[in-house]
Amino acid sequence: MGATVFGSYDRAGLDAQYNNRAKVPTFEAHIARWVSAGEQARATLAPRLDARHGDGERETMNVYAARGATPAPVLVWIHGGYWMSLTKDYNDFVASGFVPNGVAVVNVEYRLMPDVRMDELVRQCRAAVAWALANAASFGGDPSRVWVGGHSAGGHLTAAVAATDWAAQPGAPAGARPAGGFAFSGLHDLEPIRLCYLNDTLAMDETESRRNAPVGMAPPRDGDWTLLVGGAEGPEYLRQSADLAAAWGSDDARRVRMEVVAGADHFSIVGPLADPGSATVRRMVATMAATAGR
């Protein structure tokens, strides 16, 4: 064992904790299913593709209008890829699960590192949610029931959105903010990311990692926030969500809870989101159907 670099881990041990593709040898099959379901969603659900939430590069989104009763809940979804890979099109499968259940979906794109810094990714995702809050009615959505969700790096960005000072957020209507959200397999403490193999590409310094880590951000003022993590994801992923739940806590206005999905790995945890009849989708839809207390 080499010198420890984070907690009880040496560099090799820390690398292993965050190398999801090595931990899940079937990852390519999972991603192939995401792509196939996304292609079907784009072909059958008539989204508005590459709508813009800003003027910058990759400030686009695929907007799936509400079907059925309106105004409907809105799910703003943020893709993963360790901030350096994948695109929104890999995650259009989420629309397959939620649009048939009467939820509008906004699937967000953002720029990737290391071409820009983490601050820019956070800024773009906050701007995309502000756009959804301001424009929900234009696609059948309810601006008081805009929810945020994301997977992996998207889970981190979901938490960063939760921690936004909405009163100071450009583009957000006065008094508007998300009703809550769902962070799947989120990365809420960025120090181990900075100290493992991922930073060979991300190139974060300590100041950047701490500034953009949700565990160090002020908790959301209110809303219903669920931190989901797979039981098979490993100790570091479990710690990531547990630490954020502990740091933010709950009070009369804000509900923050961690849920461990038994048997799920880093890729299988979001597979059920493509199925409108899955227990995961049904539970999320039931949560979104109610307006979070203000």
Side-chain angles (χ1 to χ4, degrees):
M1 180 175 177
T4 57
V5 295
F6 183 83
S8 62
Y9 298 102
D10 62 9
R11 171 63 187 259
L14 193 63
D15 286 354
Q17 285 293 307
Y18 289 101
N19 191 339
N20 292 308
R21 296 190 173 196
K23 288 192 290 185
V24 185
T26 59
F27 75 91
E28 290 181 330
H30 288 286
I31 294 175
R33 286 192 289 271
W34 300 352
V35 170
S36 178
E39 290 172 347
Q40 183 177 10
R42 291 190 293 274
T44 62
L45 298 177
R48 180 184 171 194
L49 300 177
D50 298 318
R52 297 205 64 87
H53 60 79
D55 297 328
E57 184 179 345
R58 292 172 66 100
E59 292 186 352
T60 61
M61 55 206 163
N62 294 343
V63 180
Y64 292 80
R67 296 187 172 190
T70 60
V74 178
L75 177 62
V76 181
W77 185 261
I78 306 171
H79 73 81
Y82 271 146
W83 309 277
M84 66 177 86
S85 67
L86 303 184
T87 69
K88 61 179 169 46
D89 291 351
Y90 282 84
N91 273 205
D92 273 329
F93 70 88
V94 171
S96 297
F98 287 90
V99 173
N101 278 293
V103 177
V105 173
V106 177
N107 185 20
V108 175
E109 190 69 280
Y110 53 87
R111 293 194 68 184
L112 300 177
M113 298 174 74
D115 290 345
V116 294
R117 303 315 314 150
M118 184 73 76
D119 305 76
E120 176 63 6
L121 276 65
V122 171
R123 185 201 67 77
Q124 287 189 327
C125 291
R126 287 172 170 166
V129 175
W131 182 93
L133 289 165
N135 293 279
S138 71
F139 52 91
D142 182 348
S144 72
R145 291 188 292 165
V146 172
W147 294 73
V148 187
H151 174 230
S152 195
H156 157 261
L157 293 165
T158 295
V161 166
T164 303
D165 178 358
W166 289 103
Q169 174 62 39
R177 53 194 179 275
F182 310 90
F184 286 78
S185 308
L187 298 150
H188 309 303
D189 174 3
L190 299 183
E191 271 299 281
I193 306 303
R194 184 180 71 84
L195 295 169
C196 79
Y197 77 100
L198 295 164
N199 211 42
D200 296 344
T201 300
L202 297 172
M204 288 190 293
D205 62 22
E206 183 176 0
T207 300
E208 181 181 15
S209 73
R210 293 192 182 280
R211 182 172 60 242
N212 289 287
V215 291
M217 295 178 180
R221 169 179 158 183
D222 55 18
D224 189 315
W225 303 94
T226 305
L227 314 175
L228 300 102
V229 60
E233 294 203 65
E236 267 297 284
Y237 268 89
L238 291 162
R239 181 194 65 80
Q240 288 271 358
S241 290
D243 283 3
L244 184 62
W248 281 4
S250 299
D251 58 24
D252 290 342
R254 177 182 66 251
R255 183 184 184 194
V256 180
R257 62 194 180 281
M258 173 184 172
E259 293 186 4
V260 178
V261 182
D265 61 43
H266 189 74
F267 299 93
S268 66
I269 191 172
V270 290
L273 301 185
D275 178 2
S278 72
T280 301
V281 169
R282 294 290 191 187
R283 287 182 61 204
M284 290 172 67
V285 169
T287 300
M288 297 169 70
T291 301
R294 289 289 188 232

